[in-house]
Amino acid sequence: MTKVRYGIIGCGMMAGEHIRNIALIEGAVVTATYDPVRELAEQAAALAGGAEVAESFEALLARDDVDALVIVSPNHLHIGQLEQIAAYKHRPVLCEKPLYTDPAQAAQVQAFAANYTAPVWVAMEYRYMPPIATLLQEAASVTGGVKMLTIREHRFPFLPKVGDWNRFNANTGGTLVEKCCHFFDLMLLVMKDEPVRIMASAGQSVNHLDETYHGQTPDIWDNGYVIVDFAKGARAMLELCMFAEGSKYQEAVSAVGPNGKIECLVPGPRRFWPDHLGPAPIPQVLVSPRNPAGETVIDVPVDPTILDAGDHNGSTFYQHRKFFDVCLGRGAVEVTLDDGARAVAMGLAAQQSAREGRAILL
């Protein structure tokens, strides 16, 4: 049986999701874990069914029993770790988003991409949520060409993370990078065009205001609007609220063109759904042509085993299955370093627009 052996870099909450989904793929196995907090690395190794704990980042990279790497460390460490990986054997890497967090790091990403010889996949899970994947596939034909795209995420606040790193812009790149690079990636996929102007209004209104870490109050934003103009005249909008976990659906995406509209509705993590409300909602796709008018509702259920392996509507599994094929040389990277970098660049521009109160030309 063909096998791919994984090394996990960073062993916080999201690492558990990656490990559980890797375990669902026949022939995929985690052989080593590393985290500077050894207890976390040990927990991840146990979850993987007996992986070994590397004594250092360098020790993991030097192992001969690791065929592919998964970076699940805090955001601000990603590009530096990719550069360190390049000094060892070049092997496939799946790197969690965002690819980088500071405009000054864009050149580092370009230099790394020019010299790294193995495949690198940026983990943009939202592409692979089944209802969103359906929308991406059908948007052009249903709409006749998307002219307006709206993405809404009404969700829970940022969860606690190791060392509270996700409470501060300096570590995350800011909410419109950390959380929203997913949505800018979707905009680029749907529009197949270049963004030319970004306008944003965002801030910290409710969450983490009474918290203090190491003498500092969190500065991470919890809500905002972003409007993006594209070169060929289409436009997109993002609405984010991170104190709306009471919503039935967490994400709603709507694409509209001259022939009609297609929408999708995605529930939040099933483990957060209140028991007293009964079964969790089923993801849906809604198709609404202009002529003849009328809405068709399509349920897009996800295998419960896959749902239980993570918080992203099954997308982490579908992403890993494709990355597994890449590692075996029988598939192509679908989310490239360039894709990851473009989504971050849009997020950084949105952060700047909201911070400075002006539109940013790209």
Side-chain angles (χ1 to χ4, degrees):
M1 180 179 63
T2 304
K3 183 177 291 188
V4 177
R5 301 167 298 178
Y6 294 80
I8 305 295
I9 300 165
C11 297
M13 183 185 68
M14 191 61 192
E17 179 162 332
H18 282 285
I19 291 168
R20 287 190 297 272
N21 281 279
I22 289 170
L24 296 177
I25 300 171
E26 184 178 3
V29 60
V30 173
T31 53
T33 64
Y34 168 71
D35 194 286
V37 181
R38 185 177 177 86
E39 181 182 358
L40 292 176
E42 291 173 347
Q43 291 172 359
L47 179 63
E52 292 192 29
V53 175
E55 294 299 323
S56 67
F57 183 42
E58 293 77 13
L60 184 142
L61 299 181
R63 295 179 69 98
D64 292 327
D65 62 347
V66 171
D67 304 312
L69 298 166
V70 181
I71 297 177
V72 208
S73 53
N75 298 358
H76 62 292
L77 301 178
H78 292 172
I79 183 57
Q81 289 178 336
L82 285 169
E83 290 173 332
Q84 286 181 268
I85 289 167
Y88 288 76
K89 174 184 175 182
H90 288 200
R91 51 197 140 191
V93 177
L94 188 145
C95 180
E96 262 297 342
K97 58 78 194 168
L99 188 55
Y100 66 100
T101 58
D102 188 293
Q105 296 173 329
Q108 291 176 253
V109 173
Q110 291 180 339
F112 171 81
N115 295 291
Y116 197 74
T117 57
V120 180
W121 184 302
V122 182
M124 294 290 193
E125 288 92 358
Y126 281 53
R127 290 185 181 206
Y128 300 102
M129 292 179 174
I132 292 180
T134 301
L135 182 144
L136 291 172
Q137 182 177 349
E138 303 295 334
S141 60
V142 169
T143 65
V146 177
K147 301 300 181 184
M148 298 180 69
L149 176 69
T150 302
I151 301 173
R152 186 186 75 222
E153 182 170 71
H154 283 189
R155 56 160 283 165
F156 50 91
F158 283 115
L159 296 172
K161 294 291 180 76
V162 178
D164 309 301
W165 67 266
N166 66 336
R167 296 300 196 255
F168 298 96
N169 292 329
N171 299 328
T172 65
T175 299
L176 301 182
V177 172
E178 202 288 334
K179 183 85 234 15
C180 300
C181 61
H182 281 301
F183 306 126
F184 299 126
D185 178 59
L186 294 179
M187 290 179 186
L188 291 168
L189 275 177
V190 172
M191 297 306 192
K192 297 179 174 59
D193 194 11
E194 292 300 315
V196 295
R197 184 172 68 162
I198 289 183
M199 298 165 282
S201 175
Q204 183 183 10
S205 301
V206 174
N207 297 339
H208 318 306
L209 295 172
D210 298 326
E211 300 173 9
T212 301
Y213 303 97
H214 314 294
Q216 294 181 303
T217 300
D219 60 0
I220 196 76
W221 296 344
D222 58 18
N223 70 101
Y225 294 99
V226 182
I227 296 175
V228 183
D229 290 334
F230 285 84
K232 296 177 184 177
R235 53 186 54 87
M237 186 183 80
L238 166 67
E239 175 186 332
L240 174 72
C241 179
M242 298 189 69
F243 42 90
E245 59 266 43
S247 304
K248 180 177 181 180
Y249 289 101
Q250 182 168 286
E251 287 87 26
V253 182
S254 170
V256 189
N259 295 346
K261 176 173 69 172
I262 182 170
E263 303 169 84
C264 69
L265 303 172
V266 186
R270 193 162 67 168
R271 65 189 175 104
F272 293 157
W273 183 254
D275 291 337
H276 72 272
L277 294 179
I282 296 173
Q284 293 182 331
V285 171
L286 293 70
V287 177
S288 304
R290 296 179 69 189
N291 186 24
E295 180 182 85
T296 299
V297 179
I298 304 164
D299 286 344
V300 188
V302 180
D303 185 312
T305 300
I306 296 173
L307 275 181
D308 288 342
D311 290 339
H312 296 85
N313 200 240
S315 59
T316 302
F317 170 76
Y318 299 116
Q319 172 184 256
H320 264 292
R321 192 169 62 182
K322 289 174 177 285
F323 179 65
F324 177 78
D325 285 339
V326 169
C327 294
L328 294 176
R330 63 191 190 196
V333 171
E334 293 184 1
V335 193
T336 65
L337 286 164
D338 184 61
D339 292 328
R342 293 174 74 206
V344 169
M346 291 177 69
L348 289 170
Q351 286 281 139
Q352 182 183 359
S353 174
R355 191 170 58 247
E356 298 179 0
R358 64 184 182 92
I360 303 298
L361 302 179
L362 301 175

